[in-house]
Amino acid sequence: MLALRRDAAAGIPAAMRDLADVMQRCGFGKLHGPLFEKHVDEMAAQMKADQVHLLRAAAARRQAQCETIPGTFDEQVQQQRQLLQDAAGKGDLLARLRQRTRAFTQQAKAGLPDDADALIDEALMSSDPRALFELASLHNTSPELLAKAGMRTTSSDGAALVLVACERGLDCSASSEFGDDLCIASAMCTEDLDTVVLNAAGAEGRTEEVQARLQWMRTMLDEVDRAR
């Protein structure tokens, strides 16, 4: 974390983007200290005994990250936005995508460049599974952009994009940052992200649709690979 903060201060785009991501994952200062420890204790009391150590390990990892970031909640919110904006301004693909996925209001969306189609194409051409995951987030916040780019045809595309990102190398394991997110937020401490997505699809009766869209994504990305 100290090295990440140093590199972000030096203006390295990837470090600025990653530090912004950590700040958001840390709830802008909320996921460490006595209140967070109380939250973990309350969750642990409701969990199976053989999984409590997994929750506490995930919480310890998160606290170790979050306690190194100075500033109040409001200060971290402002710094996170500036870091993401600066990284995006330097052309960092993931920062530009995250600006889109985190533009929740019309005012915020209006302040972004008119380059959504090109950005989606760049994400597909990048071979970076993290970019595919960001497209899944974009599907959830601004599905009209993916529709305009010719990608979104069903409500299952977000799930399919997460699954194909996992297949293409995104760390979706229970010990990943995504796994820690699930463990800390929902007490699902043994589940891989792709398993959670498939289970959710099954509970909603959408397994076949998600699998069909996943196969479509695989075919599309294979074509992109051949064209690269």
Side-chain angles (χ1 to χ4, degrees):
M1 284 302 301
L2 293 175
L4 183 62
R5 287 172 55 195
R6 178 199 64 213
D7 291 347
I12 297 174
M16 291 190 289
R17 171 246 300 159
D18 287 345
L19 182 56
D21 186 54
V22 171
M23 285 181 170
Q24 185 159 34
R25 271 200 154 95
C26 288
F28 305 107
K30 291 184 176 181
L31 297 192
H32 76 93
L35 289 178
F36 180 56
E37 291 167 3
K38 180 181 178 182
H39 165 75
V40 172
D41 287 342
E42 290 172 349
M43 289 184 65
Q46 304 298 319
M47 292 177 65
K48 294 180 180 179
D50 61 349
Q51 294 189 18
V52 170
H53 73 284
L54 299 173
L55 171 63
R56 296 203 181 279
R61 286 190 292 269
R62 190 55 49 89
Q63 286 218 77
Q65 285 185 317
C66 301
E67 67 187 5
T68 65
I69 303 173
T72 65
F73 177 89
D74 290 338
E75 289 170 344
Q76 288 193 27
V77 168
Q78 292 301 319
Q79 187 181 3
Q80 189 263 358
R81 289 174 181 166
Q82 191 64 53
L83 284 165
L84 203 59
Q85 180 176 322
D86 291 347
K90 292 189 175 187
D92 185 84
L93 172 61
L94 295 180
R96 290 159 58 209
L97 286 165
R98 286 173 187 168
Q99 274 194 312
R100 293 251 170 214
T101 62
R102 293 162 191 179
F104 298 112
T105 66
Q106 288 303 318
Q107 181 180 4
K109 292 177 181 180
L112 295 173
D114 185 21
D115 65 349
D117 286 358
L119 184 58
I120 291 169
D121 285 344
E122 187 177 345
L124 294 173
M125 292 294 293
S126 72
S127 75
D128 187 341
R130 295 171 300 173
L132 295 174
F133 182 82
E134 292 300 328
L135 288 183
S137 298
L138 188 62
H139 173 273
N140 294 331
T141 58
S142 301
E144 71 280 0
L145 297 179
L146 293 176
K148 184 181 175 185
M151 282 189 60
R152 179 184 180 273
T153 58
T154 79
S155 60
S156 295
D157 282 27
L161 280 162
V162 171
L163 293 172
V164 80
C166 294
E167 286 185 354
R168 286 184 160 242
L170 186 70
D171 186 358
C172 298
S173 67
S175 60
S176 68
E177 287 192 326
F178 297 112
D180 282 355
D181 290 342
L182 289 166
C183 186
I184 292 167
S186 306
M188 291 189 289
C189 299
T190 61
E191 303 290 342
D192 296 343
L193 177 60
D194 48 354
T195 300
V196 171
V197 170
L198 286 171
N199 287 344
E204 296 169 2
R206 294 189 300 112
T207 299
E208 290 187 6
E209 183 177 291
V210 168
Q211 291 288 1
R213 295 305 296 159
L214 174 58
Q215 186 56 49
W216 184 87
M217 298 285 178
R218 290 169 178 153
T219 301
M220 175 192 65
L221 290 171
D222 286 345
E223 292 174 359
V224 169
D225 290 341
R226 286 191 290 271
R228 186 178 293 113

